[in-house]
């Protein structure tokens, strides 16, 4: 696999399919993060979470949305 000049951006998918992220948050790109897996690992260190969907997609949630989802559960 060749090196990428631009890393992946992982953006928050929001509180629900109907509600966008209030912060329009995205994991800050880091110098060492070259793959989406690494970016997600960075995000987890900052409080980001991922939620698998029935279709096999991963939804990403920023710390703000993760907290809000916990509170409303
Ligand atoms: Zn969010």
């Amino acid at each position: 696999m060749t090196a990428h000049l631009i890393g992946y951006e992982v953006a928050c998918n929001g509180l629900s399919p109907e509600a966008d992220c209030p912060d329009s948050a995205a994991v800050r790109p880091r110098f060492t993060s070259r793959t989406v897996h690494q970016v997600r690992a960075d995000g987890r260190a900052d409080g980001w979470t991922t939620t698998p969907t029935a279709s096999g997609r991963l939804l990403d949630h920023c710390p703000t949305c993760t907290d809000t989802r916990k509170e409303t559960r």
Side-chain angles (χ1 to χ4, degrees):
M1 195 167 160
T2 54
H4 292 276
L5 291 175
I6 301 168
Y8 289 88
E9 186 180 66
V10 174
C12 181
N13 288 107
L15 295 170
S16 73
E18 298 82 29
D20 287 335
C21 176
D23 295 335
S24 297
V27 175
R28 258 171 285 133
R30 294 184 197 195
F31 185 67
T32 53
S33 300
R34 298 291 177 88
T35 68
V36 69
H37 181 80
Q38 287 175 319
V39 174
R40 283 203 168 104
D42 285 343
R44 259 196 302 280
D46 287 342
W48 282 67
T49 58
T50 53
T51 306
T53 64
S55 61
R57 244 183 99 219
L58 276 180
L59 297 179
D60 298 288
H61 300 289
C62 70
T64 302
C65 290
T66 300
D67 286 345
T68 305
R69 284 157 60 91
K70 275 183 203 153
E71 282 165 19
T72 54
R73 197 168 289 160

